[in-house]
């Protein structure tokens, strides 16, 4: 399988930009109809989220993402940090700020923050967003359960960038939702998760996969995954879903729209 590479010494050349508007000729008049009506999704993410751009990649052109962040906490990625960024008072305040631009749905884009207090904790976060003005509030962990339901998955492998005690709480959350984690592997990182290269995540997935797993979940909305999902699904012969993917999928599904991810099984 060919995957995006960042070999030492390789020179990156960005693709030529593609215009979304037709060429303008002399004498053309400005349009009087438009712009395209936007469908808004509000996104509440942790202060250290660095992958806004990845979430945008799943969006169709009529969708706008409105981001806001939780307050800064001087902690490494840990159980303690997950508890801090899942504070419902902070999430309520963030939702009220986002309500000013009238999103049709709000998403809390943090896996650990939405599983650290179990299913009830995820539900409380959704309720806080709705009290803050969201017509509907979803969480990454709630979206994960919905995706597993959609794919009819009971047994899965879990891959995370987390330290061990935080990763173990994801297993607890999944067990509470009626799933069985048959294998798990984690990187043990406390910071800079967004800097993990694709090659590291690919190796982790390949090494932890087992035949009895019906799917693989790659956790953390700060871990890049967009380009590796479809090729690895073909290679391993099973769905591979990720935190940002399920968040985008669930938010768009609430709008009656499809996510953009060629070859990704969840989106088929």
């Amino acid at each position: 399988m060919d995957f995006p590479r960042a070999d030492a010494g390789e020179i990156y050349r960005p693709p030529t930009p593609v215009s979304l508007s037709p060429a303008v000729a002399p004498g053309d008049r400005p349009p009087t109809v438009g712009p395209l009506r936007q469908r808004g999704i509000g996104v509440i993410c942790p202060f250290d989220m660095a992958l806004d751009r990845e979430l945008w990649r799943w969006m169709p052109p009529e969708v706008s993402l409105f981001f806001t962040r939780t307050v800064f906490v001087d902690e490494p990625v840990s159980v303690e940090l997950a508890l801090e960024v899942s504070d419902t008072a902070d999430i309520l305040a963030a939702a009220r700020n986002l309500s000013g631009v009238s999103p049709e749905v709000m998403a809390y884009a943090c896996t650990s923050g939405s599983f650290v207090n179990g299913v009830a904790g995820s539900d409380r976060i959704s309720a806080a967003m709705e009290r803050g003005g969201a017509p509907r509030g979803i969480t990454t962990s709630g979206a994960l359960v919905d995706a597993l339901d959609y794919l009819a998955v009971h047994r899965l492998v879990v891959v995370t960038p987390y330290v061990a005690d935080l990763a173990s709480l994801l297993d607890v959350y999944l067990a509470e939702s009626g799933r069985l984690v048959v294998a798990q592997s984690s990187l043990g990182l406390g910071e800079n998760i967004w800097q993990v290269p694709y090659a590291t995540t690919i190796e982790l997935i390949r090494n932890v996969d087992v035949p009895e797993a019906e799917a693989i979940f790659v956790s953390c909305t700060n871990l890049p995954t967009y380009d590796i999902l479809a090729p690895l699904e073909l290679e391993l012969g099973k769905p591979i879903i990720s935190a940002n993917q399920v968040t985008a999928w669930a938010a768009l599904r609430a709008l009656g729209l499809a996510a953009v991810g060629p070859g990704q099984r969840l989106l088929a």
Side-chain angles (χ1 to χ4, degrees), residues 105-185:
V105 63
M106 291 187 198
Y108 175 73
C110 179
T111 324
S112 62
S114 53
F115 70 62
V116 69
N117 288 307
V119 172
S122 177
D123 291 344
R124 286 194 296 270
I125 291 171
S126 293
M129 288 187 284
E130 290 168 5
R131 289 198 310 275
R136 182 176 174 190
I138 67 170
T139 72
T140 297
S141 294
L144 166 60
V145 172
D146 289 345
L148 294 174
D149 285 343
Y150 180 79
L151 295 168
V153 168
H154 174 67
R155 300 182 305 278
L156 70 154
V157 162
V158 168
V159 170
T160 91
Y162 309 134
V163 294
D165 57 346
L166 182 57
S168 68
L169 291 179
L170 176 53
D171 291 3
V172 172
Y173 177 90
L174 288 165
E176 189 181 352
S177 76
R179 269 70 189 189
L180 177 64
V181 176
V182 296
Q184 186 199 88
S185 186

Side-chain angles (χ1 to χ4, degrees), residues 9-71:
E10 181 179 345
I11 299 173
Y12 172 72
R13 293 182 175 86
T16 302
V18 177
S19 174
L20 297 180
S21 302
V24 178
D28 282 357
R29 295 177 179 272
T32 56
V33 177
L36 178 69
R37 176 180 173 262
Q38 64 179 357
R39 309 285 302 276
I41 297 175
V43 183
I44 300 171
C45 52
F47 64 91
D48 62 348
M49 168 70 163
L51 296 186
D52 307 43
R53 179 178 175 182
E54 177 165 276
L55 275 172
W56 273 104
R57 297 182 69 185
W58 276 287
M59 298 298 127
E62 68 268 35
V63 171
S64 290
L65 297 179
F66 308 128
F67 284 90
T68 191
R69 281 164 166 74
T70 60
V71 297

